[in-house]
Amino acid sequence: MTWSRGNMADGEEPEKKRRRVEELAEKMAVDSGHGGNARDWDGRWNHVQKFLERPGPFTHPDFEPSTESLHFLLETCKILVIGAGGLGCELLKNLALTGFRQIHVIDMDTIDVSNLNRQFLFRSKDVGRPKADVAADFINRRIPGCNVVPYFKKIQDFDESFYRQFHIIVCGLDSIIARRWMNGMLMSLLIYEDGVLDPSSIIPLIDGGTEGFKGNARVILPGMTACIDCTLELYPPQINFPMCTIASMPRLPEHCIEYVRVLQWPKEKPFGDVPLDGDNPEHIKWVFQKSQERASEFNITGVTYRLTQGVVKRIIPAVASTNAVIAAACATEVFKIASSAYVPLNNYLVFNDVDGLYTYTFEAERKENCTACSQVPQDLKFAPSATLQDILEYLTENASLQMKSPAITATIDGKNRTLYLQTVASIEERTRPNLCKTLKELGLTDGQELAVADVTTPQTMLFKLHFTS
Amino acid sequence: MAQSAAGKSNKEQKYDRQLRLWGDHGQEALENAHVCLINATATGTEILKNLVLPGIGAFTIVDGHKVTGEDNRAQAATELLQELNSDVSGNFVEESPDKLLDNDPEFFHRFSLVIGVQLIESTCLRLAGVLWNAGVPFLVCKTYGLVGYMRLAVKEHTVVESHPDNALEDLRLDQPFAELKNHIQSYDLDNMDKKDHSHTPWIIVVAKYLEKWYNEHNYQLPKNYKEKEAFRQLIREGILKNENGVAEDEENFEEAIKNVNTALNPTKIPSTVQDILNAEGWKNITAQTPAFWVMARAVKEFVENEGEGKLPVRGTIPDMIADSEKFINLQNVYREKAMQDASVVSKHVESLLQSVGKVCVYKSKKKCKNAAFLRVVRCRSLADECSVELVNKDEITSCMDNPDSEMVLYLMLRSVDRFFQQHSRYPGVYNYQVEEDIGKLKLCVNSLLQEYGLNVNVKDDYIHEFCRYGASELHTVASFLGGQLLDVEFLLNKYGFVMPKTNLFIPFCLNNQKFLFALGCAAQEAIKMITHQFVPFNNTFIYNAMSQTSATFQL
C-alpha cells in the first residue's frame, strides 16, 4: 500500500515555509470563490446562517430569524478584545472565524519566547514586537475581510469616548487589577434616568481567565448582573510570604528566593540602581546563585533556576488547550449576544480538567453594596482617634475592596486636600506624616466624604466617614 | 532538556509555562509520541494545533478528501500545522480511513493515540475495533451544531501522576513510624523558652497533645466532632500565657488547632489504590508485564510486609510556622523515611524482575512518592457501548429522568447517525429539508430507543433543534472540543454531502465555537493519555454550548 509521506520537518527555512503557507491559503481562497471577490464566496457563512435564519425551540425569547443578522455580525458589530496573549489569540481567531470583522485589540506587551507554546499568532521571528500589532497582522492577512485594529497601549490610556463605541467587550487579561479597572470603566458608562438604567448604555463584558488546567468564563451585563467587584472574594488576594519568614526564618526554597528579590537585591544593587527584571537572564542568574547560597545556609534544598524565575516573575503555568476552551466559551457568548440567537450564559462558568473534565455553571449574585456597581455610597466606620494609616490598611486589606495604593483626598475647611498619595514620590513624602495623625487631628468630621482613587478603578470612589465612639 | 544555571535552551524557554505543569519527563513523553488525526476538518486541525504548539513529536493526518485539483486536504492541513512549530514532524496520508482499514489495518498500530473527528458511525466502529485489539487508545470527537461530543476508548490506561487538586497530607500522626516517634520525643513543650515554643511546627504540637489525649482516653484517637473539639481545646490550653494570664500570640498553635480535623485522619490506603494493588489482571508477573504493574505488585509486597499495611511514606509536609531548623529537621525525618521506603520497594521490583529474567532499568522513586495517587482508567469499547446486550441501559435511563439532561444530546447524536445511515445525508442541511426531516429524524429516534429497549422520552424540541443545526459546525464549539487558526475551513464532506457540481472544499470561516470548546478539551485529554499524568475522562463527554454545561457519562 502506498501513501504519501510528506514530512515537513526537514528542509525548508521558516520564512520560505511561511510564504508557501500564505500562498496556499490565498490559492484556496481564490479557487473556491466565484470570480474575483474573495471576501464572501458562496456558502461562506452557511453554518452561521443556520443559526441566524432558522427558528428553533431553544432560541432566545426575543429572537427572530432574519437575514439581517448576518449583515450586522459581519459589517456592523464592533468588538473590543482586551489582551492578545493566550486567551487573546484564541479569541481573535474565534471571533474572526465566526464572522466578526470590526475587531479592536489592546495589549501593552511585547512577544516573549515563552509565549510561543500557546500564543499561536506569533512566531519566533516576532519576539520583541508588540503582541497587538502582530496578532492583528496575522488575522488580517489570513482571514479575508477581517479588519482587526491593534493598540499597543494600556487599557488606562483610553477614556469613556473610546470604550463607548463597542457593542461587546471581551477580556483575556492576566490581572485582577486590570479587570476591575475595565469593570469600573463600563460602570461609568451607564446612564441612569430617574434611577432607571438606560439599557442602551450597557456594554456587555465577557471575561475569561485561565491558570494551568483551570479556567472560567463569565458574562457581565453592567448594572444588571454581578460584576467583577461583586465577586471579588472569588479571587483570593495573592499570598505573599510574611516578612519575618523571609528575613529570618526561611523554610522553603521560595522563601530564599524572595529574600534575595526583596531584600538582597535592593541592598547590593548588583547591576547598579536598576529594578530587578525577571526577563533579564543575567538578573535571574544572580538571584538564582544568591538564593542557593541562602538556602544552603539553612539546609534548604530545592532552589532551581526554573523555580527562581517562577517566583521572581510570579509565573502562572499555562497551556494551549485551556486557553482554547475558555476562549471558545467566551466567543460563544459573544456570538449569542451579538445575534440574540440564544440566551447568554447566566452568568459564570468554571472549568477544570485535572481529573476528567469538569464544568460548573452558576449565577453569581450581585452584591447589594458592591463598591463598583451598586451606586451605594461606601461607609467607613472609624473612631476619631483612629489614624489615617488605619483607614489605608482597611482600604487595602478589606476583602471587598482590595485596593493597591489608594490616594485619599477630602474637602477640609472648604479646601480640597490630598491626605495621602503613594504613587508620586514627592507627594508621598509630603503626605506621609499624615498617616500617623488621627482623623480628628487631620480635621475630618463625622459624615465627611472622602474621595479615594486607585488603580483598581477608573473612577474615584466616594466614602462616607462615620465616627464611632 | 538539561537545565543550566546560566541560560536555558530555546526549547526550554518556549515550553517553560507547560513544563511547570507536566515536567521535563512529561514533555519527553509528548516528544516521543506520534498522534494520528483522521479527517482534517477545521475541528480536527484545531485539536492538532493544541498538540503541535506544546511540541508533540509527530502527527499524521489521514484524510482522503480533495481540496483543490492538486492539493489534498490532508496535505494542506499538514503544511499549515507544521508551520506552527518546527520541532514537530508532520505527515499525511491521502486516503480515507475506510480504505486503510481495508488494505492495511496495521497502519494504525504505530500510533500513541488516534483521534477521529466527524467520523460516520460505520467507519468509527470499524476503526474502534481495530484499535481496541491493538491496544491503541482512540479518541472520538464530534461537533454537531451547538453540541460537542468526545468518547475515549482504551482498555486500560495507567496514570502514575494524577496530581490531585486537594490531596490530604501523609503525616502518619495516627501511626507514627519509629523515626518520627523519636523525633517527637526530642521535644519537651513544657520546658521550652517562648521563642522555641512559638516556633515549633504544628505537626509536633498535635503529636505531643495527642500523647496527652491518649493517656486520658485509652489510646483512642479523637473521633467525632465533640472529641475533636475537646482535643482542640486541649491544644488551646497549651498556648503560653503572659504575666497577666493573657494568651500569647502563638501562630503555630493556631495552625495546630486549625489542622486537627485533617491531621488525625487515620492513615489508610485510598480505595482507588487498593483496587490497583489487588487488580486481578496482573497478579502474575511475566517478562511482558508493563512497568506500572510490576511497580504496583512491588508496592503491594511492601504494604504486606515492611509497610505493615501502609503505603510507602510520601515524604512531603506542608509549609508551616516554625523556625528554619525545626522545620527542616522535621521535613528530613519524613524525607528520609520516604527514601528508605522507596528503596525497599525498589528491591521488591528488582527481585520481581529477576524472577522473570529481567533487569531493572527504570526509576521507581517517582512512582513511590505518588503511590497514593496511582490511578487506572478503563474505558469500555465502542462495540460494547453500541451492543444491544451490553448497552448501559441503567446509565441512560436514570440520566433521562431529567429529560433535559445532556444524555438527550447523546441520544440525538446516535439518532442523526442513524439518519445518515438511512438517507446518506444529515438532517436539515438545506432550509427546505428542515421541516420534513423532523419527522424522519423522529422515526430514527424511536427506532434507536426501541432497538436498545430504552424506555425514555426524547422531547420533540431536541429533534427540531437537531434538524435546525443542519450538521453545522460552530467554530467555538469546535474550539472548546479542540482549538485553531486555519486560513480556510472545510465543509463537512464526511457527512456524505458534497456541494453540487464541485467536489471541492468550500472555505469559510466558521461558527465553530462549540466545536472549539470541545476540541480544546480533546487536546488536553490526548496530552493526559500520552504523558500518563492527570486523569482522563471516562468515557463520554458531552458539551452543550447553548447552556454552557457539560456532563461525563460512562457508557
Side-chain angles (χ1 to χ4, degrees):
Chain A
M1 126 120 260
T2 59
W3 49 285
S4 324
R5 196 175 187 286
N7 188 333
M8 308 294 154
D10 43 41
E12 298 189 279
E13 328 124 20
E15 188 51 44
K16 201 164 155 207
K17 214 182 296 181
R18 198 178 51 81
R19 250 182 284 128
R20 166 151 165 70
V21 161
E22 278 176 24
E23 276 165 26
L24 180 66
E26 220 182 77
K27 185 175 169 196
M28 289 171 156
V30 169
D31 269 0
S32 73
H34 287 246
N37 182 9
R39 257 174 71 112
D40 282 335
W41 48 86
D42 235 36
R44 184 178 186 186
W45 306 112
N46 264 351
H47 290 234
V48 190
Q49 280 173 294
K50 290 194 172 93
F51 291 95
L52 300 176
E53 296 168 13
R54 291 181 179 183
F58 295 108
T59 56
H60 193 286
D62 298 335
F63 174 67
E64 273 182 38
S66 138
T67 47
E68 304 280 294
S69 314
L70 181 63
H71 185 265
F72 171 73
L73 213 83
L74 292 175
E75 309 299 340
T76 319
C77 192
K78 224 167 177 180
I79 314 275
L80 174 63
V81 175
I82 306 195
L87 277 173
C89 285
E90 294 281 344
L91 280 169
L92 288 170
K93 174 252 306 176
N94 292 347
L95 295 172
L97 289 177
T98 300
F100 294 100
R101 286 181 167 152
Q102 309 301 327
I103 305 175
H104 293 230
V105 60
I106 302 174
D107 194 307
M108 63 183 196
D109 270 336
T110 55
I111 298 164
D112 179 70
V113 174
S114 66
N115 298 148
L116 302 178
N117 78 326
R118 64 203 182 282
Q119 298 171 23
F120 64 94
L121 300 179
F122 314 140
R123 299 289 178 273
S124 34
K125 66 173 174 53
D126 299 318
V127 172
R129 288 183 59 200
K131 289 188 180 183
D133 293 346
V134 178
D137 201 31
F138 193 110
I139 301 274
N140 291 338
R141 271 189 292 114
R142 299 272 192 116
I143 300 185
C146 195
N147 180 29
V148 179
V149 178
Y151 302 92
F152 175 37
K153 288 199 145 98
K154 303 200 293 289
I155 50 176
Q156 291 87 353
D157 293 335
F158 300 94
D159 63 14
E160 299 88 31
S161 60
F162 173 79
Y163 290 106
R164 208 174 269 128
Q165 64 179 303
F166 297 102
H167 292 96
I168 303 173
I169 298 181
V170 202
C171 290
L173 289 165
D174 59 0
S175 128
I176 297 168
I177 295 178
R179 280 187 176 86
R180 292 179 70 187
W181 192 93
M182 205 55 233
N183 187 64
M185 168 54 72
L186 295 186
M187 294 304 155
S188 71
L189 297 178
L190 295 177
I191 298 172
Y192 288 86
E193 276 171 48
D194 295 326
V196 177
L197 178 57
D198 172 9
S200 68
S201 66
I202 300 175
I203 299 180
L205 174 65
I206 298 171
D207 180 65
T210 63
E211 191 172 317
F213 297 135
K214 302 182 193 173
N216 58 72
R218 63 189 300 184
V219 172
I220 295 171
L221 302 173
M224 288 179 62
T225 63
C227 76
I228 302 280
D229 281 49
C230 289
T231 56
L232 209 50
E233 287 92 19
L234 283 179
Y235 305 101
Q238 221 179 15
I239 298 178
N240 287 311
F241 304 113
M243 219 6 129
C244 57
T245 303
I246 306 284
S248 51
M249 250 178 275
R251 295 176 297 268
L252 303 178
E254 288 87 339
H255 299 159
C256 303
I257 298 167
E258 277 290 89
Y259 173 84
V260 175
R261 180 182 82 87
V262 174
L263 296 170
Q264 215 172 333
W265 176 280
K267 203 164 104 179
E268 291 183 31
K269 299 193 209 272
F271 295 91
D273 204 356
V274 293
L276 172 52
D277 176 6
D279 291 317
N280 185 329
E282 292 302 307
H283 289 200
I284 298 292
K285 185 170 149 193
W286 187 88
V287 174
F288 174 51
Q289 278 166 359
K290 294 295 173 188
S291 303
Q292 280 179 315
E293 283 166 27
R294 177 147 177 96
S296 66
E297 254 181 75
F298 292 88
N299 292 315
I300 296 171
T301 58
V303 175
T304 61
Y305 187 89
R306 186 177 290 164
L307 184 68
T308 304
Q309 200 176 30
V311 171
V312 169
K313 291 182 68 173
R314 298 285 195 262
I315 290 178
I316 296 174
V319 280
S321 45
T322 316
N323 283 321
V325 167
I326 295 301
C330 290
T332 296
E333 293 309 308
V334 174
F335 176 72
K336 285 184 192 170
I337 291 174
S339 65
S340 302
Y342 285 90
V343 176
L345 169 67
N346 183 19
N347 52 46
Y348 204 113
L349 164 74
V350 169
F351 171 80
N352 184 338
D353 66 355
V354 167
D355 186 337
L357 293 151
Y358 172 77
T359 66
Y360 177 61
T361 311
F362 68 101
E363 185 179 342
E365 286 179 0
R366 284 189 81 179
K367 213 156 140 209
E368 258 180 50
N369 57 344
C370 175
T371 50
C373 76
S374 70
Q375 296 205 296
V376 168
Q378 301 295 312
D379 286 332
L380 286 176
K381 294 193 176 87
F382 286 90
S385 56
T387 61
L388 188 63
Q389 176 75 37
D390 292 332
I391 292 192
L392 193 74
E393 276 172 19
Y394 173 78
L395 292 172
T396 50
E397 286 163 25
N398 178 281
S400 325
L401 292 172
Q402 290 186 48
M403 293 194 166
K404 295 298 156 196
S405 47
I408 309 172
T409 54
T411 307
I412 300 176
D413 300 329
K415 285 207 208 110
N416 200 1
R417 305 260 296 286
T418 302
L419 296 176
Y420 183 66
L421 189 145
Q422 262 177 276
T423 48
V424 178
S426 56
I427 305 182
E428 199 279 328
E429 224 180 295
R430 183 168 59 77
T431 55
R432 202 185 306 154
N434 287 341
L435 291 175
C436 333
K437 295 203 182 135
T438 66
L439 305 181
K440 192 164 169 210
E441 281 171 352
L442 288 169
L444 298 171
T445 55
D446 188 27
Q448 167 115 40
E449 250 184 21
L450 295 178
V452 180
D454 184 58
V455 287
T456 51
T457 164
Q459 281 191 305
T460 308
M461 265 179 76
L462 289 175
F463 289 84
K464 206 156 181 179
L465 183 59
H466 297 276
F467 280 159
T468 59
S469 46
Chain B
M1 266 180 291
Q3 190 180 273
S4 68
K8 298 152 83 185
S9 73
N10 206 47
K11 240 167 67 164
E12 213 180 316
Q13 276 179 57
K14 178 163 76 167
Y15 298 137
D16 180 82
R17 299 300 185 270
Q18 68 203 40
L19 292 174
R20 290 167 194 277
L21 288 167
W22 53 67
D24 294 324
H25 56 293
Q27 187 65 29
E28 203 182 315
L30 262 183
E31 292 178 10
N32 288 330
H34 188 169
V35 171
C36 175
L37 169 74
I38 304 184
N39 284 335
T41 62
T43 60
T45 46
E46 275 285 353
I47 304 179
L48 271 194
K49 150 180 153 284
N50 289 332
L51 292 175
V52 165
L53 284 172
I56 194 99
F59 66 87
T60 295
I61 298 181
V62 169
D63 197 328
H65 298 95
K66 289 286 175 206
V67 170
T68 65
E70 302 149 37
D71 292 320
N72 149 279
R73 194 164 78 173
Q75 180 174 10
T78 300
E79 288 187 16
L80 290 165
L81 283 164
Q82 182 73 75
E83 198 257 328
L84 284 174
N85 188 349
S86 52
D87 298 337
V88 177
S89 100
N91 314 283
F92 60 89
V93 175
E94 292 172 26
E95 198 63 87
S96 77
D98 278 302
K99 269 274 180 56
L100 277 175
L101 287 168
D102 288 335
N103 300 331
D104 182 20
E106 302 211 347
F107 166 79
F108 295 102
H109 291 197
R110 79 199 66 199
F111 299 112
S112 328
L113 171 73
V114 173
I115 303 175
V117 170
Q118 309 293 82
L119 292 170
I120 62 173
E121 196 176 43
S122 55
T123 311
C124 190
L125 287 171
R126 270 188 86 192
L127 189 52
V130 166
L131 296 175
W132 183 263
N133 292 328
V136 175
F138 186 30
L139 182 60
V140 180
C141 299
K142 199 185 296 200
T143 63
Y144 202 96
L146 286 160
V147 177
Y149 162 89
M150 281 204 302
R151 171 63 155 98
L152 179 63
V154 59
K155 257 185 224 164
E156 185 178 88
H157 174 78
T158 56
V159 181
V160 176
E161 291 167 83
S162 54
H163 300 287
D165 257 340
N166 294 307
L168 290 172
E169 302 285 346
D170 184 23
L171 302 177
R172 307 288 166 117
L173 282 172
D174 61 326
Q175 299 182 58
F177 45 91
E179 296 84 342
L180 180 58
K181 251 192 233 167
N182 289 340
H183 188 72
I184 295 168
Q185 295 291 28
S186 71
Y187 280 86
D188 182 4
L189 284 181
D190 298 328
N191 290 309
M192 288 172 119
D193 69 24
K194 183 178 176 313
K195 190 145 189 253
D196 281 330
H197 195 263
S198 305
H199 291 93
T200 297
W202 70 255
I203 291 177
I204 303 287
V205 172
V206 169
K208 283 298 200 189
Y209 282 90
L210 194 56
E211 276 170 22
K212 282 205 171 93
W213 177 274
Y214 278 157
N215 284 335
E216 294 160 22
H217 291 84
N218 201 22
Y219 293 92
Q220 296 293 312
L221 277 173
K223 288 195 191 57
N224 50 40
Y225 177 78
K226 200 164 151 206
E227 288 184 353
K228 285 187 178 171
E229 210 23 58
F231 184 64
R232 278 189 278 265
Q233 188 52 32
L234 188 65
I235 297 178
R236 188 169 291 286
E237 280 158 20
I239 296 179
L240 290 179
K241 298 188 176 50
N242 64 13
E243 323 72 66
N244 301 326
V246 176
E248 300 273 20
D249 189 14
E250 297 206 284
E251 269 186 84
N252 59 330
F253 270 70
E254 296 298 339
E255 277 187 338
I257 292 165
K258 212 169 59 162
N259 281 289
V260 159
N261 252 341
T262 48
L264 300 180
N265 281 347
T267 302
K268 64 175 185 204
I269 303 178
S271 60
T272 44
V273 179
Q274 291 272 26
D275 291 341
I276 291 173
L277 298 183
N278 296 325
E280 278 302 321
W282 305 104
K283 272 223 153 91
N284 292 319
I285 303 297
T286 68
Q288 281 74 41
T289 306
F292 179 92
W293 293 106
V294 176
M295 168 60 75
R297 174 65 179 278
V299 170
K300 181 172 178 178
E301 299 199 353
F302 173 89
V303 167
E304 289 170 355
N305 298 294
E306 300 89 349
E308 294 173 351
K310 299 183 280 292
L311 289 173
V313 167
R314 197 179 307 158
T316 56
I317 57 173
D319 189 26
M320 59 192 75
I321 301 290
D323 62 53
S324 311
E325 200 180 323
K326 292 190 182 63
F327 179 82
I328 300 294
N329 287 342
L330 180 62
Q331 190 181 55
N332 284 338
V333 167
Y334 281 94
R335 267 195 192 156
E336 276 153 27
K337 177 66 172 155
M339 286 200 301
Q340 228 180 69
D341 284 356
S343 75
V344 172
V345 172
S346 283
K347 291 215 173 64
H348 282 294
V349 170
E350 269 171 41
S351 66
L352 279 169
L353 289 176
Q354 253 172 33
S355 72
V356 292
K358 281 177 88 171
V359 174
C360 181
V361 288
Y362 54 85
K363 300 195 202 80
S364 53
K365 214 174 119 205
K366 183 151 273 132
K367 292 190 174 105
C368 266
K369 239 193 337 166
N370 294 298
F373 306 142
L374 297 174
R375 294 280 293 275
V376 173
V377 174
R378 294 183 184 92
C379 300
R380 284 218 311 170
S381 69
L382 264 65
D384 283 357
E385 173 192 342
C386 297
S387 123
V388 170
E389 294 85 28
L390 298 172
V391 64
N392 194 344
K393 257 166 110 158
D394 287 342
E395 176 91 336
I396 298 175
T397 43
S398 66
C399 287
M400 288 300 289
D401 274 344
N402 167 18
D404 298 308
S405 146
E406 278 78 14
M407 184 58 81
V408 74
L409 303 174
Y410 167 76
L411 293 173
M412 286 313 306
L413 288 172
R414 293 288 302 271
S415 303
V416 296
D417 275 338
R418 203 157 268 240
F419 187 102
F420 182 86
Q421 229 176 23
Q422 287 171 24
H423 305 277
S424 297
R425 64 176 178 83
Y426 285 97
V429 176
Y430 287 115
N431 284 347
Y432 73 83
Q433 294 170 326
V434 179
E435 197 152 331
E436 211 180 285
D437 284 351
I438 293 176
K440 292 194 184 130
L441 183 56
K442 187 158 186 174
L443 288 174
C444 294
V445 172
N446 290 335
S447 88
L448 177 82
L449 298 180
Q450 213 173 53
E451 184 179 327
Y452 287 100
L454 295 166
N455 190 11
V456 299
N457 174 39
V458 172
K459 288 198 221 167
D460 281 344
D461 279 348
Y462 290 101
I463 301 176
H464 181 178
E465 184 73 357
F466 270 68
C467 282
R468 177 173 185 256
Y469 289 158
S472 64
E473 285 178 76
L474 253 220
H475 200 99
T476 49
V477 177
S479 219
F480 189 104
L481 252 175
Q484 135 135 97
L485 175 77
L486 256 198
D487 311 27
V488 288
E489 303 278 322
F490 302 94
L491 224 177
L492 312 168
N493 283 343
K494 49 214 140 36
Y495 289 134
F497 164 64
V498 164
M499 279 298 270
K501 290 195 191 133
T502 84
N503 56 359
L504 302 180
F505 85 100
I506 292 180
F508 54 71
C509 304
L510 247 240
N511 32 338
N512 274 333
Q513 312 294 14
K514 279 119 282 160
F515 214 177
L516 292 173
F517 187 104
L519 294 174
C521 294
Q524 195 44 45
E525 296 310 297
I527 290 174
K528 290 182 192 175
M529 296 302 293
I530 293 165
T531 58
H532 291 267
Q533 295 186 37
F534 306 94
V535 182
F537 73 109
N538 181 2
N539 55 35
T540 301
F541 176 74
I542 305 269
Y543 168 58
N544 179 351
M546 288 187 283
S547 56
Q548 296 278 28
T549 53
S550 72
T552 303
F553 304 120
Q554 226 170 346
L555 295 175

